[in-house]
Amino acid sequence: MQRESGAQGTEASGRRRTLWQALARLGPYLGGLKLRWTLGLLAAIAAGVVALSIPQVLQTLVNSLLDDGAQVSAVWSASGVILALGVLEAVLVYLRRFFVIPPASDAETSMRTRLFDKLQDLSASFHSAWGAGQLQSRAIADLNLLRRWFAFGSLMLITSVVSLIVGFTLMATLSPLLAVVFLGAALPIMVIGPKFRQKFVHFSRASQDQAGDVATKVEESVHGIRVLKAFGRGDYALEGFTQEADELRDLEVSKARTLAKFLMAMVILPEGILGLCLLIGLWQVANEESTGVSVGALAAFFATAAVLKGPIEGVGMMLGMTFTAKTAIDRHADVMDTDTEITSPATAKTAEEHGVLELADVHFRYSDAKDGERDLIDGVSLRVEPGETMALVSATGGGTSTLLNLIPRLYEVTGGAILIDGVDVRDFALADLRSRIGIAFEDPILFSTSVKSNVLLGTSHLRDADDPQNPSRAAAPAEEDLEQAMYGALRIADAEFVEGLPQGVDTPVGEEGLSLSGGQRQRLALARAIAASPSVLLLDDPLSALDVRTEEAVTLRLREALQGTTTLIVAHRPSTVALADRVALLEHGRVTEVGTHSELLERSPEYREVMSASVRPVSAEEVLSYE
Amino acid sequence: MSETYAGDASGRRETGDRFAHLRGTAGEEQIELDREERGFIRRRSWRLLVQLSVGVRRKLLLTAIFVVIAQAAQASIPLIVAWAIDWGLPRMTEGRSSGMWLPGSAYIACAVTAGILIFHYTRMTAEASQEMLFTLRGEVFRKTQALSLDFHEDYTSGKVISRQTSDLESLRELLDGGVNSLVQGVMFMFFTGVTIWIMDWHSGLVLFAALIPIAVMARWYQQNSEVAYRRTRVSSAKMIVHFVESMTGIRAVQAFRREDSRSRQYRRLAAIYRDDMIRSISLFGVLQPSLMLIGNLTVTAVLLWGGYRVLEGDLSIGVLVALVLATKRVFQPLDMIAMFYNSLQSATAALEKVSGLLEESPSVTEASSPVHLKDAAGDLVFDRASFRYSDAGPVVLHELDLHIPAGQTVAVVGRTGAGKSTLAKLLARFYDVSTGAVRLDGVDLRELAVADHHRHVAMVTQEAFLFSGTIRSNIALGRPDAAETEIIAAAKAVGCHELIMELPEGYATDVAKRGGRLSAGQRQLISFARAFLADPAVLILDEATSSLDLPSEALVQQGLERLLGNRTALIIAHRLSTVAIADRVLVIDDGRVVEDGAPAELAEAGGYYAKLHAAWQTSMGA
């Protein structure tokens, strides 16, 4: 799912979707909202009616009750009525909010958490195509807007429309001819309405998307801050950001201009027509004998028209808000409608855990690869025996990291199959599959929490008892052994430096572990892969930032501590290769040679070339640390 | 220096600054503030708002004037109708058609004027508010870029995003709806209030008395909503931080099966945000009907008092009708003003955070009158330079005297944590020295113009971060004005041209979409090309070759010498193969240079490097 095709495709589908269809999409979230929303609507309408009636009642009360010779009691009863109406109005306004706000916030929250859940289930390829900023703007700003629309905009829109209808009916009874003329104002509005809608929806969609792009720029500029600082390209980043922010400003201004035009029409058309009505009305009154329109009727007509003024303006504003809300729904639906490609099968298989890893003619290509292009993984067949350490060396064309990601189904194979303990990885329940595998990515991804929580990420540490993603495994460390498992893993990964941190293993490490050095982060990521004692361990050049001495020590400890752990390790250095039982050479997306290091040196010229490309890169640290 | 605010704050504490704990982003999560603390933070927010209005003040004033005129035009419409009936009709019966045309066209003129002005003030409000937001966005962006790395290590990207998005969103709500409703409301209330005074000062007094409970309510609301909104800002930031981190680390979340526990955590944060939000909204839910109730009680009071006076014959019925209607009307805009006040509270809470971020000062800054250095030879001097992250922290680099002549390639070796990277960070000015100085061509780096420093000194770090965009634009980051041929030449020089040409769209390949396809080594090569293109006099490689795969490293070894060329180079070496191409080797241990000399010399000297060299020889033979 690529953003370009995705966003454009769904924008089109968003345009096809009517407001009602968009609202229907929200059905599942609105369970608790419907009844209370209806009550809120009734309260809003009632409050509107009371508000409209108070002046009328006042007028009649004062005129009729306080006529000449009235009693003190009349003053009190008139005041009592007004007081009652006044209290009623305030109570109704309070009730409207009381009814609507909690369920609207609930709907907002449940949309937000479902979006979050959905995003977590979407594959890594989806996430590499959509920036975190884009997703964040959908999760926060869009949903805040929807809440406000549910709690306020939708009610006010309906209330305004109801007031319009009531007012218009009143008007029609006073002077049918004038009412018809006034209705004439609605015709041009019907013509410009859809145009306005189309334009406004376009700008509102574009500006909401743009806001996401701005957020993405911000996110990138902070994540890439070291590069920007190293090259002093803060100004360049600023320029890129300014462009995006500028575009956002332009879109917002265009959106406001569209709305402003509509609001102008909503004032000039009805009021202009009323001016015409005044002309006609004056003429009618002047010829009262033939037309039957009295001065009183004319005055009453304009009094009613004045009452309609508020609702007409309100309808204009609320329509704007409604269209923006619809865009937010569309944007939400875009994500929710994305297929979750990688899911657990309906009936999952499982197998006893031995750690046999088998790749059978595995193919993989990115969905945006061109037609003529060869697959990135172009038919890899490989079998790693339980407990064996297999090094994966890439001659040309790369693909090693991708291959590792296919095994825990972070990406899905596009051909062939990967089997663990004889079962296709696609037939395992995801949690079952992934609990068997420990992985260290080429960039260590740490979370802003304690060292301990980071290392024990794959274990039952800080999981709820009913966490469905924590299947029981015989090999997994028990709750009471977690501490021990953590220290064991830290020792194996040579990450004992954590003891020296201010709060030891409870020290919070910064976002993505920024406050640790590259090598330290990498070792924590390695400890994390090991801590859950998986039966299949996938290591993507996990020691690149370490010196060879540490790498050797770690690898030796690994082999010693993880007897029975099948390990597939992407190796970029002969030192790593030499420690593996066997080596697989990946060339142009295929495994061309498998054998021990010395066998391959002997029989494969490509392998010799790769190995001789670099002398054994002894590191300085290695030698210096020998004392 | 690392002590940005920790250090500054302690410094301020000594000078008796009682707001030290609130300066910058330090007090961001503090929700309950005492009187003076409130005042301090509010002043800061308001100052920011006032500063932002520079440049759009005329527009805002014009908007307000337009609002007033549009209101007046619309308010005059009932008067025109009255005029038509009182003056127009009699004229018409006299047979003069002007009795019809004049009121009719006046009516239409008012409608058109109001319409046009509404168009303009709606447009101008958006323009002014967007202009202010645009300025603020830029300010925040500039500030976050300027702040030193130690700041970013504590402050997460999620928080920056939250400041830039949801906080600015609250400000936008205020600016978009605020001015209009405030001006409209205040104008309307003022004029209606004056009318009431003129008609009957008794009722005016009642109206005046109503101001007391209104003020009490407003004060109650202000105090409570301030805390409530501050709470929502904090909880919304927490929610956003969790969100952003989960999404950027999605591969680890999925691989380690943490979707469920992260989802629960998110649900908790979202629920806290929801509760905080409802609490702040509920406060308004009390304020709004209360104001309405006060208004209606006032109407009743006017009616009651007026009724008695009518009975006593002190007041005519007509005036009483007009009075009660006007009293009812005078409170109508209170609703709108309350809404303005609500968004003002919400926006100020957001501005508190944004203004705090803007108050942070980078520990590394440009000198007030910087020295310009057009061309640099690349002569480097560390003059009694020492470094520690904070005043209290351990010394990371002990007093160092070092001269690197222009064009020399220096390899820095040493154990992990010995302080190698500190040299690089000081040269790149990620930090400034604690004592002594670092000089480029005789100019103290702290005195050197930042732009010149960046032009002459470039650094390739261990993380090869690629920005969204094409491969081309990522290389061009080294020198944005480079021509296509220069970009390709740079790629060829470091040996990544072939690899780029193998990508589906060559240099135009979008890395955000296909970023997963580039290995860490490939990304590192691209960052080398970036450095080559930047063509600095001084190049720093901070363990930059560690993640290269074998074929790439072979390529880089070839390209590295071309990359180094005549430049002064400081290579934090990881592998001995890199040391081999150096003119000079520095061995660092425990923050001190323990050996310094040409590789051949040191190999003879029998120290650390000799051992290093011997090991290397052995491995060559192996």
Side-chain angles (χ1 to χ4, degrees), chain B residues 384-417:
Chain B
R384 301 169 68 89
S386 79
F387 179 70
R388 61 214 299 190
Y389 281 98
S390 64
D391 293 340
V395 178
V396 186
L397 183 72
H398 293 279
E399 223 167 74
L400 170 71
D401 280 303
L402 179 71
H403 176 221
I404 302 174
Q408 199 173 55
T409 300
V410 178
V412 183
V413 296
R415 279 188 275 205
T416 310

Side-chain angles (χ1 to χ4, degrees), chain A residues 501-523:
Chain A
L501 295 176
Q503 300 158 51
V505 292
D506 294 319
T507 310
V509 289
E511 178 190 40
E512 291 168 26
L514 267 184
S515 48
L516 298 177
S517 83
Q520 291 174 322
R521 273 155 49 202
Q522 208 171 34
R523 278 179 271 174

Side-chain angles (χ1 to χ4, degrees), chain A residues 344-348:
Chain A
S344 295
T347 46

Side-chain angles (χ1 to χ4, degrees), chain B residues 42-288:
Chain B
R42 289 270 136 163
R43 273 197 301 282
R44 186 173 76 192
S45 316
W46 279 102
R47 236 183 353 252
L48 177 61
L49 198 59
V50 171
Q51 274 165 15
L52 284 174
S53 67
V54 174
V56 290
R57 286 186 190 153
R58 271 182 55 188
K59 201 168 242 167
L60 288 176
L61 184 67
L62 205 61
T63 304
I65 293 172
F66 279 14
V67 171
V68 172
I69 301 176
Q71 280 299 107
Q74 282 180 296
S76 59
I77 280 174
L79 299 179
I80 293 174
V81 175
W83 179 52
I85 292 171
D86 297 344
W87 176 85
L89 270 180
R91 267 176 101 84
M92 279 182 75
T93 44
E94 284 166 29
R96 280 190 280 175
S97 61
S98 64
M100 187 169 100
W101 291 116
L102 274 178
S105 35
Y107 193 112
I108 293 174
C110 275
V112 171
T113 311
I116 290 175
L117 289 178
I118 285 173
F119 168 76
H120 282 292
Y121 77 65
T122 310
R123 174 187 62 87
M124 286 195 311
T125 306
E127 282 169 359
S129 92
Q130 287 297 322
E131 184 63 40
M132 287 168 76
L133 287 171
F134 178 75
T135 314
L136 188 56
R137 279 200 185 97
E139 289 283 316
V140 175
F141 191 89
R142 244 188 299 270
K143 177 59 83 179
T144 48
Q145 282 297 310
L147 286 168
S148 327
L149 286 176
D150 48 357
F151 174 83
H152 287 285
E153 282 165 5
D154 284 346
Y155 206 75
T156 56
S157 67
K159 273 196 197 163
V160 176
I161 295 179
S162 145
R163 299 287 95 91
Q164 279 275 27
T165 55
S166 84
D167 286 355
L168 289 198
E169 195 60 31
S170 332
L171 180 59
R172 169 209 149 107
E173 272 160 36
L174 169 72
L175 295 174
D176 274 0
V179 184
N180 298 357
S181 49
L182 186 69
V183 173
Q184 276 180 29
V186 170
M187 290 293 296
F188 186 88
M189 285 186 80
F190 179 75
F191 283 120
T192 320
V194 169
T195 325
I196 293 174
W197 265 102
I198 293 171
M199 279 196 285
D200 174 43
W201 65 268
H202 295 90
S203 305
L205 273 185
V206 176
L207 207 60
F208 211 71
L211 286 181
I212 297 165
I214 288 177
V216 171
M217 276 312 290
R219 178 108 185 105
W220 168 84
Y221 175 73
Q222 188 207 10
Q223 280 173 344
N224 288 283
S225 70
E226 196 179 298
V227 176
Y229 274 114
R230 197 174 290 136
R231 219 184 280 277
T232 66
R233 290 296 97 205
V234 173
S235 52
S236 113
K238 280 189 181 152
M239 188 169 75
I240 292 175
V241 167
H242 184 80
F243 185 94
V244 170
E245 209 177 70
S246 303
M247 295 310 146
T248 41
I250 190 72
R251 282 194 304 160
V253 170
Q254 292 184 347
F256 292 97
R257 300 163 282 112
R258 281 292 172 170
E259 294 98 320
D260 191 66
S261 49
R262 286 197 83 83
S263 160
R264 286 175 202 228
Q265 211 175 330
Y266 188 69
R267 214 162 292 167
R268 271 195 292 277
L269 292 171
I272 294 174
Y273 173 66
R274 170 197 175 277
D275 293 346
D276 290 346
M277 203 65 207
I278 289 191
R279 195 173 310 153
S280 61
I281 298 177
S282 307
L283 288 172
F284 186 64
V286 172
L287 176 73
Q288 194 191 20

Side-chain angles (χ1 to χ4, degrees), chain A residues 544, chain B residues 461-462 524 528 541-549 553 556-557 560 571-575 577-578:
Chain A
S544 60
Chain B
T461 56
Q462 206 170 26
Q524 194 57 272
F528 273 36
L541 301 182
D542 188 4
E543 308 205 0
T545 52
S546 64
S547 56
L548 294 178
D549 55 18
E553 193 187 348
V556 168
Q557 282 299 336
L560 195 58
I571 306 177
I572 311 297
H574 199 65
R575 306 186 181 183
S577 48
T578 323

Side-chain angles (χ1 to χ4, degrees), chain B residues 205-509:
Chain B
L205 273 185
V206 176
L207 207 60
F208 211 71
L211 286 181
I212 297 165
I214 288 177
V216 171
M217 276 312 290
R219 178 108 185 105
W220 168 84
Y221 175 73
Q222 188 207 10
Q223 280 173 344
N224 288 283
S225 70
E226 196 179 298
V227 176
Y229 274 114
R230 197 174 290 136
R231 219 184 280 277
T232 66
R233 290 296 97 205
V234 173
S235 52
S236 113
K238 280 189 181 152
M239 188 169 75
I240 292 175
V241 167
H242 184 80
F243 185 94
V244 170
E245 209 177 70
S246 303
M247 295 310 146
T248 41
I250 190 72
R251 282 194 304 160
V253 170
Q254 292 184 347
F256 292 97
R257 300 163 282 112
R258 281 292 172 170
E259 294 98 320
D260 191 66
S261 49
R262 286 197 83 83
S263 160
R264 286 175 202 228
Q265 211 175 330
Y266 188 69
R267 214 162 292 167
R268 271 195 292 277
L269 292 171
I272 294 174
Y273 173 66
R274 170 197 175 277
D275 293 346
D276 290 346
M277 203 65 207
I278 289 191
R279 195 173 310 153
S280 61
I281 298 177
S282 307
L283 288 172
F284 186 64
V286 172
L287 176 73
Q288 194 191 20
S290 306
L291 291 180
M292 192 167 265
L293 193 63
I294 294 171
N296 288 340
L297 286 175
T298 315
V299 172
T300 315
V302 168
L303 178 61
L304 204 58
W305 195 9
Y308 269 100
R309 283 183 295 141
V310 167
L311 292 183
E312 282 158 23
D314 295 345
L315 199 68
S316 79
I317 288 214
V319 175
L320 181 60
V321 171
L323 272 177
V324 282
L325 286 182
T327 314
K328 177 67 191 158
R329 264 206 314 273
V330 81
F331 288 107
Q332 270 167 9
L334 208 55
D335 211 34
M336 255 193 325
I337 294 177
M339 267 201 273
F340 166 79
Y341 196 45
N342 179 38
S343 42
L344 180 72
Q345 288 290 22
S346 157
T348 331
L351 272 178
E352 283 178 7
K353 310 290 174 223
V354 177
S355 64
L357 178 58
L358 288 177
E359 201 183 40
E360 283 289 340
S361 54
S363 45
V364 175
T365 50
E366 183 161 33
S368 50
S369 50
V371 178
H372 291 277
L373 194 62
K374 191 166 163 285
D375 295 301
D379 181 273
L380 292 173
V381 171
F382 283 79
D383 181 7
R384 301 169 68 89
S386 79
F387 179 70
R388 61 214 299 190
Y389 281 98
S390 64
D391 293 340
V395 178
V396 186
L397 183 72
H398 293 279
E399 223 167 74
L400 170 71
D401 280 303
L402 179 71
H403 176 221
I404 302 174
Q408 199 173 55
T409 300
V410 178
V412 183
V413 296
R415 279 188 275 205
T416 310
K420 292 170 294 181
S421 291
T422 310
L423 283 186
K425 283 174 184 163
L426 291 177
L427 268 184
R429 268 200 97 197
F430 282 9
Y431 302 104
D432 275 332
V433 287
S434 306
T435 63
V438 180
R439 298 200 184 89
L440 169 66
D441 287 7
V443 181
D444 191 324
L445 289 188
R446 287 167 296 189
E447 303 293 321
L448 186 60
V450 167
D452 287 333
H453 177 256
H454 285 147
R455 207 173 64 239
H456 299 317
V457 181
M459 172 158 160
V460 181
T461 56
Q462 206 170 26
E463 313 90 4
F465 188 87
L466 294 189
F467 294 87
S468 63
T470 60
I471 301 261
R472 181 189 296 117
S473 69
N474 265 290
I475 298 178
L477 194 71
R479 185 152 53 87
D481 59 350
E484 178 81 16
T485 50
E486 293 174 290
I487 291 173
I488 295 174
K492 280 185 175 159
V494 302
C496 64
H497 177 69
E498 285 73 23
L499 122 83
I500 294 170
M501 293 313 285
E502 272 178 33
L503 294 172
E505 288 164 64
Y507 284 85
T509 306

